[in-house]
Amino acid sequence: MNTLTLWFHKIGSPPTFYRLAGRFTPWLFALAALTGLVGLYGGLVLAPADYQQSDAYRIIFIHVPSAWMSLFIYFVMAVNAFIALVWRIKLSETLAMCCAPIGAAFTAITLATGSIWGKPMWGTWWTWDARLTSELVLLFLYVGVIGLYHAIEDRRQAARAASFLALVGIVNVPIVHFSVKWWNTLHQGSTVRLLGPSAIDASMLWPLLLMALATKLWFLGSLFARARASLLELEAGKDWAREEALRTGAAP
Amino acid sequence: MSEFLAMGGYGAYVWSSYAIFAVVLAIDYIAPRLHRRRVLAELRGRIKRQQKRTETPT
Amino acid sequence: MAALPSHDAPPLLHARGLAFARNDEPVFGPLDFTLHAGEVVLIEGDNGAGKTTLLKVLSGLLEPASGEILLDGEPLTLARLSHKVALLGHLPGLKGDLTPLENLRFATGLFGSRPGTDATAALAEVGLEGYEDVPTRQLSAGQKKRVTLARLLLVPAMLWLLDEPYANLDRGGIDLVNRLLDAHAARGGAALVTSHGAYAFTSGAPRRLPIRPVAA
Amino acid sequence: MAALPSHDAPPLLHARGLAFARNDEPVFGPLDFTLHAGEVVLIEGDNGAGKTTLLKVLSGLLEPASGEILLDGEPLTLARLSHKVALLGHLPGLKGDLTPLENLRFATGLFGSRPGTDATAALAEVGLEGYEDVPTRQLSAGQKKRVTLARLLLVPAMLWLLDEPYANLDRGGIDLVNRLLDAHAARGGAALVTSHGAYAFTSGAPRRLPIRPVAA
Amino acid sequence: MTTASASRACAALLRRDLLLTWRRRGDALSPVLFAIMIVMLFPLALGPEPNQLARIAAGIVFVAMLLAGLLALDTLFRADYDDGALEQLVLSPHPLAMLLGCKILVHWLTTALPLLVAAPLLAEMLHLPRQVLPVLLGALALATPLLSLLGAVCVALTVGMRRSGMLLALLVLPLYVPVLIFAAGACDAAQAGLPFTAPLLWLGAALAMALVLAPMACAAALRISIS
Amino acid sequence: MTTASASRACAALLRRDLLLTWRRRGDALSPVLFAIMIVMLFPLALGPEPNQLARIAAGIVFVAMLLAGLLALDTLFRADYDDGALEQLVLSPHPLAMLLGCKILVHWLTTALPLLVAAPLLAEMLHLPRQVLPVLLGALALATPLLSLLGAVCVALTVGMRRSGMLLALLVLPLYVPVLIFAAGACDAAQAGLPFTAPLLWLGAALAMALVLAPMACAAALRISIS
Ligand code: HEM
Ligand SMILES: Nc1ncnc2c1ncn2[C@@H]1O[C@H](COP(=O)(O)OP(=O)(O)OP(=O)(O)O)[C@@H](O)[C@H]1O
Ligand SMILES: Nc1ncnc2c1ncn2[C@@H]1O[C@H](COP(=O)(O)OP(=O)(O)OP(=O)(O)O)[C@@H](O)[C@H]1O
Ligand SMILES: [Mg+2]
Ligand SMILES: [Mg+2]
């Protein structure tokens, strides 16, 4: 075994991960809150009103980062699911399953803020265009993964079954992303590009990117917090979990 | 200040969006904490039960 | 009339350090045992000791937490199970809408059949003559059990895993199981049987494999 | 320690010319028997003789083809069953998602409870201490059976109808059933038990009621 | 020897069924999700023009409701039958109709009530005109208990059968049709600006009758089908 | 000692499943009846104007089909699981994917094929324009096996559970959505007089892929969920 896999095994062992995650989580949440607040200040106060949408466009600073996260988290979940199914690594099973509720939360935010934004812009809360529909399907996929996971008794078997479903559902992610290109819809096309100039003013761009960073940090923090609880549940028979229970029980 | 809150007439839309954002993330923050507390409490119960089981019959 | 087990031949079944866990809680501890052709072994244990679980692991339906199972020297893999094992579990696996005969025909189609056997004769052997054309749904608990015994007679498996085969059977049925086990051992087969110990095998005392739940 | 049956009192159960038929084919013939307080009777019969069917008829779940059943002198009617009968059939009637304790609480809510009994104590009595909070789904076959025995202990029924209560139980479980039956008889109850005859009741030889399938 | 009083028996049954639902609270949301998904299928299959959708919105909501209720029906007695708990219920010394009434109540609370709560959302997704929404909700509030009660009778008849799902649908749907006609009629009238109280009153009358008769019919049907 | 050959095993399985369907031939008709009833509900809920119905006819037929297929899905492995026959299938020495493929085939033959036969009738009931009918049938012929194959994978995941009906619907529908969009798209195009081959070709390509991959995925899912 080379040093890399050794290192991976060390980090991947539940007690080690539990300890490390416990140390990182508060920092991740704090950093997320900090960048988020700066981003929101930039977006809500510093950035000027849009010439077309007036102030309504300010929903963009939560809508778009959440939408990106809804796709990104699904991708992370699918990668973990793949590792879980092929190499049966317990940590990956846990991480995949912990991604699902966070992804569902961001998807719900995207749908809610999108339809709130749609009312003043398109005159309707909801239409059945490709982007909106595929995002709704994404929510159903998340809910299906969560539902399947909780419907099976044995935790590890449940994680594998739900991981399988998550992998099957990954086809939907490119559909969501490219839907505006493949079908002509009401929804905006891409305005932010990683390479090349973005079709958005710099005063609006930097808060947007900062919010995107904040949601990523938040995701990591939430993922670690959830993984800690799940690992405890999964390893309830092991000594380290018992020690943890007695330790936290002693200090009320 | 009230101008800021009015958001050029779109205040209801903008602020309700931000409220939803805040509420969902707050739930996302609390849920794992509650879950961990429940797991730990259950574990302590199990430890206690096992202690009782090993003490009483012998 | 069990043939004397010849201990030079490789064992039919060999379990090495076999253990099973549910949600990381051990169910039965590491077990080591071998089963040779011609042997019948009785698995003994109290309620909840893990007998049913052990048989499921040995058939390949559940994956062991650790250890390995060698069948005729080859490891048992989940991907492609061998036709050497027949499991008779708590559930009969019979279709209530089909007659016993149709159920048996399906089993031989799926698992193949032992040469020289025949479904009608097997039904007669387990005492179900005259029930060939009754829907299985209408049989009593013990009669259904007998149909599954007839299925055991027909398929070519060498290793039988029987979970409480005596339950629900009357005196005649218990004798029948014992006769079937003897004949199977005599022709070089082997069997693992769980039972709550109230019945003895006819030909002498069988080997016993006690299992105990792991103190968690 | 069964109380001696006092044959002057009216019998707890009286069957007169009781017969059952499925699609006009007789399943068991006209039966006449009485059961007094303090008696335990063993129903004997081969597989498919009609034991399960008889118990269902006696509990009121199936309607007899002819004859009548008197409970404490009153005819059993389907419309309003009495709380004097408790049936323990092949199916346990337990909810897998609830704990044993919750299952027992529901039963006492529905059927009432015998004074001086308590669900936790009953569970301990059948050897399930420590399993109060495990979902019933996760119990083994024998452990589930024990929960149904605990239920029998709690409900106020005087007449127990037990269909193969010994099946799936280990040695300790079989003794347990015998003890429960003795105690029940001693406090003036009565029981009809089917079993494949391998187990004797502890206190002397019980009365036996052989049933044979009607030659069709 | 204490015999259980009828009210204690009902309380025990209600508590147990609610507890079971709570243990499987994920399942309790499924009818709503299912209804949302049916509603989603229509714009996909019919095209998304808001005007056309608005015209058929109330009808789709009713059909989605009805199908979700239909699927949930099967769970009413199925589990109890499979594990023998239904046998115990029948053998209990209390009036069976009363106990079944309790079961139907819990079933309505846990499957239909969430649907009722989700209805405004569904209506909005299909662009139902605002002024029709109260009528839609009123019609649903009267129709869903009626559907539960009627459905229960049919479930009781099919409970002993394997694979009864489809058969159940066949038995139930003819009974549901009149309910559907009255409920949809009320919404249609409201959408066209006509008076809509008459069909609602009819629904109310039917509900009152079903409340009395259905549990008894259900008990009779159950006795037949488990013997 | 003769071991069964793979072809003999498949033949035995096909024969048994067809025989079982034949013994319960009443049940085999239920999906059709169910679809007919759904189709019938719409004129009741929406009012009977032929023009409006004709516009949404193809969509309703697809939705009815999809829901009927969804309900029938549950029976694919349920009975085999409950009585232990599925365990025997898994323990057999043949490739599980092949055996499951046979089961899916029988399921399609006995549930979807009757639907296909009934489709012209349904279309007629909703006044679908005559020239759209061939496209509708073609789309159905490609879509129904695809739905069966995709559905089988999800059923395999939920087979060990009690009360899986709703969860199954939740898992399956997201996978069905693209199929529905393409099939309905072809019919829409035909109804508007536009070219309609592209969506049909997409369906065909998806079907070819599913024929190869779905049985294998199904076998993998089944192994996970019965262990
Ligand atoms: C319920 C309604 C809506 C949903 C479900 C929705 C969904 C999404 C999703 C999933 C993305 C990310 C796409 C990707 O990264 O590939 C996105 C991006 C975006 N959405 Fe929405 N949206 C909705 C309504 C709206 C409305 C009303 C507007 C503005 C009028 C809008 C403006 C944007 C913009 C500007 C982007 C960023 C595009 C880019 O740069 O990639 N959205 N939306
Ligand atoms: N699905 C399950 N989930 C969790 N625990 C289980 C499950 N099934 C069984 N168990 C537990 O595993 C242990 C072994 O069960 P198993 O069914 O193998 O016992 P057994 O020896 O067959 O008992 P019996 O003689 O009563 O049939 C028991 O303590 C039981 O409570
Ligand atoms: N649902 C049914 N329909 C038709 N016949 C049935 C049905 N159930 C049982 N029988 C038949 O009725 C007879 C009596 O069955 P019963 O189940 O009462 O037997 P039993 O004495 O309990 O047998 P066992 O010891 O095997 O449990 C049997 O011959 C059986 O084939
Ligand atoms: Mg067992
Ligand atoms: Mg019996």
Side-chain angles (χ1 to χ4, degrees), chain F residues 159-205:
Chain F
V159 74
M161 301 169 205
R162 307 261 108 225
R163 298 204 272 156
S164 62
M166 284 287 173
L167 181 65
L168 180 63
L170 182 62
L171 299 186
V172 165
L173 278 183
L175 297 181
Y176 279 12
V177 165
V179 181
L180 179 67
I181 290 178
F182 281 110
C187 288
D188 259 15
Q191 204 152 357
L194 301 172
F196 51 78
T197 40
L200 289 185
L201 287 180
W202 276 110
L203 279 182

Side-chain angles (χ1 to χ4, degrees), chain C residues 1 5 15-16 20 33 35 38 54 79 100 104 109 118 121 138 151 159 161 178 180 183 188:
Chain C
M1 303 279 290
R16 258 205 302 253
F20 181 78
F33 64 88
L35 188 67
L54 173 62
L104 293 181
D118 160 65
Q138 298 183 0
R151 187 174 60 202
L159 176 60
L161 304 174
N178 288 335
L180 295 186

